[in-house]
Amino acid sequence: MGRLRLDVNPAPATTPADADAGAHPDAGEEAAGPDGEGTLRRRSATIQDVADEAGVSRAAVSKVIRDAYGVSPEMRQRVEAVIARLDYRPRVAARAMRGSSFTLGLEIPQIGNDFHSVMAAGATDFLAETPYQLVIAPIRDPQEGDKAIQSLADRQVDGIVAVAPLVSSDWLDRLAERIPVVMVGRHDISTRYDTVAGDDEAGAEEVMEHLIELGHRHIAFLDIDRRRGQGGRSKTFISPTGRDPHAIRRRVYHEHMGALGLPPRVVNGAGHMEEDAAAAVRPLLDDDESRPTAIFAGHDTLAVGALRAIAAAGLDAHDVSVAGFDDIPIASHPMISLTSVDQQGYAIGQEAIRLLLERMGGRTEAVRLQMPTTLRVRGSTAPPRRR
Amino acid sequence: MGRLRLDVNPAPATTPADADAGAHPDAGEEAAGPDGEGTLRRRSATIQDVADEAGVSRAAVSKVIRDAYGVSPEMRQRVEAVIARLDYRPRVAARAMRGSSFTLGLEIPQIGNDFHSVMAAGATDFLAETPYQLVIAPIRDPQEGDKAIQSLADRQVDGIVAVAPLVSSDWLDRLAERIPVVMVGRHDISTRYDTVAGDDEAGAEEVMEHLIELGHRHIAFLDIDRRRGQGGRSKTFISPTGRDPHAIRRRVYHEHMGALGLPPRVVNGAGHMEEDAAAAVRPLLDDDESRPTAIFAGHDTLAVGALRAIAAAGLDAHDVSVAGFDDIPIASHPMISLTSVDQQGYAIGQEAIRLLLERMGGRTEAVRLQMPTTLRVRGSTAPPRRR
DNA sequence: ATGAAAGCGCTAACAA
DNA sequence: TTGTTAGCGCTTTCAT
């Protein structure tokens, strides 16, 4: 599956059109023209075609489509009519060569993670009345963040928003010299790119205080697994600064456990997916004695996976409580009812784009935004059953 | 919120670099070079820079990066060294002007719909070992599908996969004259673009037979709402052919109800979102007498929303059963346990890309693929309580 | 207000 | 095997 024949190279896009003797392609006309309705790809109208047809210069057409200064109403009208008739669309690639592509890139480390979806929705909505188009570059392995970001940069996007906790800040600094960059979920201090992040420290503290107050003492931390994708990729590495969101959440967990003299227990999620988390949690539940009474999951997708294992084992919140992070939409579903930290993913997406547009508009000082968090207490956390 | 200052126009990307007197940008060197570490955006290396630095022609460099025929090992090595040192990256926009952009576009009508996420994952995975990058164009309103597709086309992607049930097939035919297109979830017969779709008819039949067999007679159909975004967008319209997936599911529902002489009851989901569906279902539950005993939801996101309303009202599957379509990941969660039709979203994503690559490789006959469906019976459907 | 012309970075004939 | 050259479609001075 997934094996593709190696005829991958696209057919040369060169049309047999050599007759450059003022031949208007007449693209978009309903009359199919002299060219048979065969299968050959038809060339579409260029700015030159429009200019010829309207009897003006390319420059004039360019001014019309850019709404630039210096066009008479009559010319504008004439040109616009031809544009409509020929169904002319400016080629973004050609524009990009001279300036901007009016495209913004968003890299997210996991398609299907609802937190990222919500963030992307915020970004998309914010761009609505803007001339910019957002494109998302999805990746398979969270470790490949730098590749996807680079790929976006190669495509001449005018700016990049990325969620990539593991990419080195040096590399990002270098990238940000070339193109405006806003990083989401990073707490590092860069002078070249902006950051937007939730307050991971405060959020994690709320969770731990809540669990402890409920009476839990045997609390496990369900972490994402960074050992995956161990290939020695040069620019990607395990965050050494401990400043990525999951490292912070884990540290706060350790601090609270330590303060109470409780032994920490970190379980590796073996990935980012719900199923990975369920698999990692399952063995914890076997033994009634050693079983934790609560699990603090690094993010909601892991938390939902933990709930999957717990429910499948016939246990409930009084046996094993679960708290997550992100407050993804399903968390508030009454049948899931997951206690979670709301870090305003939608607003994060909006703010990231706002900052990016600001930067593209000329701002040069770096801005760091931290969103406040709110603990949403729900049914998945309850006092532990006395044993 | 979301209101952005109108300094949206990107700063002109022209660097003040006028000294074209053989100045190598020396991009990517760790030594910051003579230029102060100020804020001006640095120009990055071009193929010309590499050629100059390596003492060869542009064509030679081009051949090296394209792995083309006719380069001596020595030259290749020399060029590659310079490429690495200068951190040279070919500009995709420039390449796109001469041929392909090595970018494939995926348009999905709703970011955050898990079925689309799974599909996108299949597409992404299939492209893994390929030189192509997938970019996703998200949209806010499902009605804007044509805009997003057009936007992708404007960006010179080499091919397009789209989920856009409401776009007219004429428009798509015209688009497909210019660029390879594969449509997902459409059952129409086009000679210019391919289609991949689940077997909506068979899937819906399985659902209805299952509900009826359980003993349900008062079955409602929870439909997406097509009245939204009523603005008269020229190329978008309510599918007149009745061949879009939701129209088919609804038709099968009507047929089964009619065959049993039962009165149909179609409820509008007022959108595609879970919350929309919950709001639409709530009023159905008020009156014990008129309350349906089962709901067939047009897709799983709506079904989960229905479950939200049902659970919030303190009811369960014996009061109101729910069946959905798509078998999104959360459906199998034991706390949700939603009966649903599996139409292999992941495989659909893979197949769509496979067909697209085939088409890009030269195939001209249209291919229509239909994926078989499987009903996953779970806890959300149960025999109705006797009243 | 309009147009001529240069050039963005790359690929693809074609020559050498 | 290598280099020269002509564009791809657009924006942008700079003349007119």
Side-chain angles (χ1 to χ4, degrees), chain B residues 23-362:
Chain B
H24 300 143
D26 235 5
E29 290 289 293
E30 40 253 282
D35 112 50
E37 54 173 339
T39 175
L40 25 90
R41 201 126 276 153
R42 210 149 29 155
R43 185 177 137 258
S44 45
T46 71
I47 199 172
Q48 183 66 262
D49 297 324
V50 175
D52 292 351
E53 189 75 5
V56 300
S57 72
R58 288 202 313 267
V61 179
S62 177
K63 280 172 187 160
V64 168
I65 61 184
R66 282 177 300 122
D67 234 342
Y69 176 79
V71 268
S72 64
E74 308 83 60
M75 162 168 284
R76 138 149 298 149
Q77 201 186 349
R78 200 145 44 98
V79 169
E80 277 172 347
V82 175
I83 286 177
R85 191 153 59 73
L86 260 41
D87 197 22
Y88 164 72
R89 310 274 326 180
R91 240 62 105 232
V92 172
R95 289 182 141 185
M97 295 204 59
R98 306 293 280 126
S100 50
S101 64
F102 290 94
T103 309
L104 266 29
L106 171 64
E107 176 269 340
I108 53 178
Q110 189 98 31
I111 178 108
N113 177 312
D114 289 335
F115 174 67
H116 298 133
S117 300
V118 168
M119 216 198 69
T124 305
D125 288 352
F126 194 89
L127 246 19
E129 299 307 323
T130 275
Y132 292 96
Q133 166 75 36
L134 185 75
V135 302
I136 301 177
I139 51 183
R140 293 151 48 88
D141 182 335
Q143 309 275 359
E144 289 180 335
D146 57 340
K147 270 176 61 178
I149 293 172
Q150 181 64 257
S151 166
L152 249 13
D154 293 345
R155 277 160 183 76
Q156 268 75 58
V157 295
D158 294 336
I160 293 180
V161 173
V163 186
L166 301 187
V167 174
S168 91
S169 55
D170 283 351
W171 189 80
L172 289 174
D173 273 339
R174 244 168 295 135
L175 176 73
E177 265 169 38
R178 305 260 146 74
I179 174 177
V181 172
V182 176
M183 298 300 299
V184 168
R186 291 180 69 110
H187 296 267
D188 41 21
I189 300 173
S190 165
T191 54
R192 323 210 78 129
Y193 57 86
D194 303 328
T195 59
V196 190
D199 189 340
D200 293 289
E201 181 131 6
E205 264 161 12
E206 284 189 279
V207 168
M208 289 306 292
E209 281 161 13
H210 169 63
L211 292 176
I212 290 165
E213 190 166 54
L214 283 174
H216 293 280
R217 292 300 175 267
H218 196 338
I219 306 172
F221 184 82
L222 179 57
D223 202 8
I224 53 175
D225 190 348
R226 290 273 155 83
R227 292 170 314 189
R228 283 215 328 172
Q230 16 67 29
R233 307 189 33 60
S234 57
K235 298 158 199 151
T236 290
F237 57 94
I238 309 303
S239 156
T241 58
R243 282 221 225 76
D244 76 277
H246 287 274
I248 292 172
R249 296 169 198 176
R250 195 188 329 113
R251 173 171 57 71
V252 171
Y253 162 79
H254 274 118
E255 285 168 2
H256 279 253
M257 295 301 275
L260 271 72
L262 301 171
R265 185 167 179 188
V266 175
V267 183
N268 243 289
H272 280 256
M273 309 291 286
E274 197 199 309
E275 192 41 59
D276 299 328
V281 166
R282 241 167 248 132
L284 295 190
L285 308 175
D286 290 340
D287 179 27
D288 279 13
E289 291 314 305
S290 69
R291 187 167 68 208
T293 66
I295 296 176
F296 176 14
H299 61 59
D300 276 359
T301 303
L302 299 179
V304 171
L307 287 177
R308 185 184 283 260
I310 291 164
L315 304 172
D316 68 17
H318 293 281
D319 300 305
V320 186
S321 287
V322 175
F325 211 107
D326 291 344
D327 195 31
I328 61 177
I330 199 74
S332 68
H333 196 290
M335 297 166 87
I336 296 289
S337 194
L338 172 67
T339 293
S340 185
V341 177
D342 180 1
Q343 59 167 332
Q344 305 184 67
Y346 186 85
I348 286 179
Q350 290 195 129
E351 290 299 305
I353 295 292
R354 190 177 61 75
L355 291 181
L356 190 61
L357 293 174
E358 270 185 28
R359 223 169 225 287
M360 288 162 50

Side-chain angles (χ1 to χ4, degrees), chain A residues 203-225:
Chain A
E205 264 162 13
E206 283 189 280
V207 168
M208 289 307 292
E209 282 161 13
H210 169 63
L211 291 176
I212 289 165
E213 192 166 51
L214 282 174
H216 292 281
R217 292 298 175 269
H218 197 336
I219 305 172
F221 185 81
L222 179 57
D223 202 8
I224 54 174
D225 190 348

